PDB file of all heavy atoms in Angstrom:
ATOM      1  N   TYR A   4     210.121   5.256 107.611  1.00  0.00           N
ATOM      2  CA  TYR A   4     211.133   5.937 106.799  1.00  0.00           C
ATOM      3  C   TYR A   4     211.042   7.450 107.006  1.00  0.00           C
ATOM      4  O   TYR A   4     212.058   8.125 107.160  1.00  0.00           O
ATOM      5  CB  TYR A   4     210.958   5.579 105.326  1.00  0.00           C
ATOM      6  CG  TYR A   4     211.916   6.301 104.415  1.00  0.00           C
ATOM      7  CD1 TYR A   4     213.207   5.845 104.235  1.00  0.00           C
ATOM      8  CD2 TYR A   4     211.519   7.452 103.735  1.00  0.00           C
ATOM      9  CE1 TYR A   4     214.095   6.515 103.403  1.00  0.00           C
ATOM     10  CE2 TYR A   4     212.401   8.124 102.907  1.00  0.00           C
ATOM     11  CZ  TYR A   4     213.680   7.652 102.742  1.00  0.00           C
ATOM     12  OH  TYR A   4     214.549   8.320 101.920  1.00  0.00           O
ATOM     13  N   ASP A   5     209.840   7.981 107.001  1.00  0.00           N
ATOM     14  CA  ASP A   5     209.646   9.427 107.172  1.00  0.00           C
ATOM     15  C   ASP A   5     210.130   9.922 108.527  1.00  0.00           C
ATOM     16  O   ASP A   5     210.490  11.085 108.665  1.00  0.00           O
ATOM     17  CB  ASP A   5     208.176   9.796 106.996  1.00  0.00           C
ATOM     18  CG  ASP A   5     207.695   9.615 105.571  1.00  0.00           C
ATOM     19  OD1 ASP A   5     208.530   9.586 104.645  1.00  0.00           O
ATOM     20  OD2 ASP A   5     206.469   9.486 105.378  1.00  0.00           O
ATOM     21  N   ARG A   6     210.170   9.049 109.507  1.00  0.00           N
ATOM     22  CA  ARG A   6     210.615   9.433 110.849  1.00  0.00           C
ATOM     23  C   ARG A   6     212.129   9.414 111.012  1.00  0.00           C
ATOM     24  O   ARG A   6     212.644   9.867 112.034  1.00  0.00           O
ATOM     25  CB  ARG A   6     209.996   8.502 111.885  1.00  0.00           C
ATOM     26  CG  ARG A   6     208.519   8.710 112.054  1.00  0.00           C
ATOM     27  CD  ARG A   6     207.982   7.834 113.153  1.00  0.00           C
ATOM     28  NE  ARG A   6     206.543   7.984 113.246  1.00  0.00           N
ATOM     29  CZ  ARG A   6     205.710   7.007 113.520  1.00  0.00           C
ATOM     30  NH1 ARG A   6     206.160   5.788 113.756  1.00  0.00           N
ATOM     31  NH2 ARG A   6     204.417   7.226 113.576  1.00  0.00           N
ATOM     32  N   LEU A   7     212.852   8.872 110.033  1.00  0.00           N
ATOM     33  CA  LEU A   7     214.305   8.830 110.129  1.00  0.00           C
ATOM     34  C   LEU A   7     214.873  10.248 110.080  1.00  0.00           C
ATOM     35  O   LEU A   7     214.313  11.122 109.416  1.00  0.00           O
ATOM     36  CB  LEU A   7     214.894   8.021 108.968  1.00  0.00           C
ATOM     37  CG  LEU A   7     214.568   6.537 108.917  1.00  0.00           C
ATOM     38  CD1 LEU A   7     215.126   5.922 107.635  1.00  0.00           C
ATOM     39  CD2 LEU A   7     215.088   5.807 110.139  1.00  0.00           C
ATOM     40  N   PRO A   8     216.010  10.470 110.747  1.00  0.00           N
ATOM     41  CA  PRO A   8     216.660  11.780 110.637  1.00  0.00           C
ATOM     42  C   PRO A   8     217.024  12.045 109.169  1.00  0.00           C
ATOM     43  O   PRO A   8     217.307  11.105 108.422  1.00  0.00           O
ATOM     44  CB  PRO A   8     217.930  11.628 111.485  1.00  0.00           C
ATOM     45  CG  PRO A   8     217.735  10.410 112.311  1.00  0.00           C
ATOM     46  CD  PRO A   8     216.738   9.558 111.619  1.00  0.00           C
ATOM     47  N   PRO A   9     217.022  13.294 108.760  1.00  0.00           N
ATOM     48  CA  PRO A   9     217.281  13.609 107.345  1.00  0.00           C
ATOM     49  C   PRO A   9     218.573  13.003 106.797  1.00  0.00           C
ATOM     50  O   PRO A   9     218.594  12.499 105.676  1.00  0.00           O
ATOM     51  CB  PRO A   9     217.344  15.137 107.315  1.00  0.00           C
ATOM     52  CG  PRO A   9     216.615  15.575 108.537  1.00  0.00           C
ATOM     53  CD  PRO A   9     216.759  14.486 109.549  1.00  0.00           C
ATOM     54  N   GLU A  10     219.651  13.047 107.583  1.00  0.00           N
ATOM     55  CA  GLU A  10     220.921  12.503 107.094  1.00  0.00           C
ATOM     56  C   GLU A  10     220.846  10.988 106.898  1.00  0.00           C
ATOM     57  O   GLU A  10     221.461  10.438 105.981  1.00  0.00           O
ATOM     58  CB  GLU A  10     222.097  12.873 108.014  1.00  0.00           C
ATOM     59  CG  GLU A  10     222.046  12.280 109.404  1.00  0.00           C
ATOM     60  CD  GLU A  10     221.244  13.072 110.416  1.00  0.00           C
ATOM     61  OE1 GLU A  10     220.565  14.056 110.044  1.00  0.00           O
ATOM     62  OE2 GLU A  10     221.289  12.713 111.594  1.00  0.00           O
ATOM     63  N   LEU A  11     220.062  10.325 107.723  1.00  0.00           N
ATOM     64  CA  LEU A  11     219.908   8.877 107.585  1.00  0.00           C
ATOM     65  C   LEU A  11     218.993   8.544 106.406  1.00  0.00           C
ATOM     66  O   LEU A  11     219.243   7.581 105.681  1.00  0.00           O
ATOM     67  CB  LEU A  11     219.377   8.272 108.889  1.00  0.00           C
ATOM     68  CG  LEU A  11     219.332   6.760 108.966  1.00  0.00           C
ATOM     69  CD1 LEU A  11     220.682   6.132 108.614  1.00  0.00           C
ATOM     70  CD2 LEU A  11     218.880   6.321 110.347  1.00  0.00           C
ATOM     71  N   ARG A  12     217.972   9.339 106.181  1.00  0.00           N
ATOM     72  CA  ARG A  12     217.115   9.144 104.990  1.00  0.00           C
ATOM     73  C   ARG A  12     217.939   9.287 103.721  1.00  0.00           C
ATOM     74  O   ARG A  12     217.799   8.506 102.784  1.00  0.00           O
ATOM     75  CB  ARG A  12     215.958  10.147 104.976  1.00  0.00           C
ATOM     76  CG  ARG A  12     214.813   9.741 105.841  1.00  0.00           C
ATOM     77  CD  ARG A  12     213.539  10.499 105.497  1.00  0.00           C
ATOM     78  NE  ARG A  12     213.714  11.926 105.318  1.00  0.00           N
ATOM     79  CZ  ARG A  12     213.542  12.829 106.262  1.00  0.00           C
ATOM     80  NH1 ARG A  12     213.182  12.467 107.476  1.00  0.00           N
ATOM     81  NH2 ARG A  12     213.718  14.109 106.004  1.00  0.00           N
ATOM     82  N   ALA A  13     218.821  10.280 103.692  1.00  0.00           N
ATOM     83  CA  ALA A  13     219.684  10.474 102.519  1.00  0.00           C
ATOM     84  C   ALA A  13     220.613   9.275 102.339  1.00  0.00           C
ATOM     85  O   ALA A  13     220.836   8.829 101.211  1.00  0.00           O
ATOM     86  CB  ALA A  13     220.488  11.763 102.670  1.00  0.00           C
ATOM     87  N   TRP A  14     221.139   8.756 103.429  1.00  0.00           N
ATOM     88  CA  TRP A  14     222.027   7.598 103.346  1.00  0.00           C
ATOM     89  C   TRP A  14     221.264   6.395 102.786  1.00  0.00           C
ATOM     90  O   TRP A  14     221.757   5.713 101.891  1.00  0.00           O
ATOM     91  CB  TRP A  14     222.618   7.288 104.725  1.00  0.00           C
ATOM     92  CG  TRP A  14     223.640   6.193 104.682  1.00  0.00           C
ATOM     93  CD1 TRP A  14     224.983   6.342 104.488  1.00  0.00           C
ATOM     94  CD2 TRP A  14     223.400   4.792 104.809  1.00  0.00           C
ATOM     95  NE1 TRP A  14     225.583   5.117 104.478  1.00  0.00           N
ATOM     96  CE2 TRP A  14     224.634   4.146 104.675  1.00  0.00           C
ATOM     97  CE3 TRP A  14     222.258   4.017 105.014  1.00  0.00           C
ATOM     98  CZ2 TRP A  14     224.771   2.758 104.750  1.00  0.00           C
ATOM     99  CZ3 TRP A  14     222.385   2.638 105.080  1.00  0.00           C
ATOM    100  CH2 TRP A  14     223.625   2.022 104.952  1.00  0.00           C
ATOM    101  N   VAL A  15     220.069   6.144 103.298  1.00  0.00           N
ATOM    102  CA  VAL A  15     219.263   5.008 102.842  1.00  0.00           C
ATOM    103  C   VAL A  15     218.904   5.160 101.363  1.00  0.00           C
ATOM    104  O   VAL A  15     218.894   4.179 100.618  1.00  0.00           O
ATOM    105  CB  VAL A  15     217.984   4.851 103.704  1.00  0.00           C
ATOM    106  CG1 VAL A  15     217.020   3.858 103.100  1.00  0.00           C
ATOM    107  CG2 VAL A  15     218.343   4.446 105.122  1.00  0.00           C
ATOM    108  N   ALA A  16     218.639   6.377 100.932  1.00  0.00           N
ATOM    109  CA  ALA A  16     218.266   6.608  99.531  1.00  0.00           C
ATOM    110  C   ALA A  16     219.384   6.202  98.577  1.00  0.00           C
ATOM    111  O   ALA A  16     219.115   5.851  97.428  1.00  0.00           O
ATOM    112  CB  ALA A  16     217.899   8.078  99.322  1.00  0.00           C
TER     113      ALA A  16
END
Side-chain angles (χ1 to χ4, degrees):
Y4 177 82
D5 292 339
R6 290 184 184 143
L7 295 175
E10 65 274 8
L11 188 52
R12 279 197 314 266
W14 186 90
V15 169

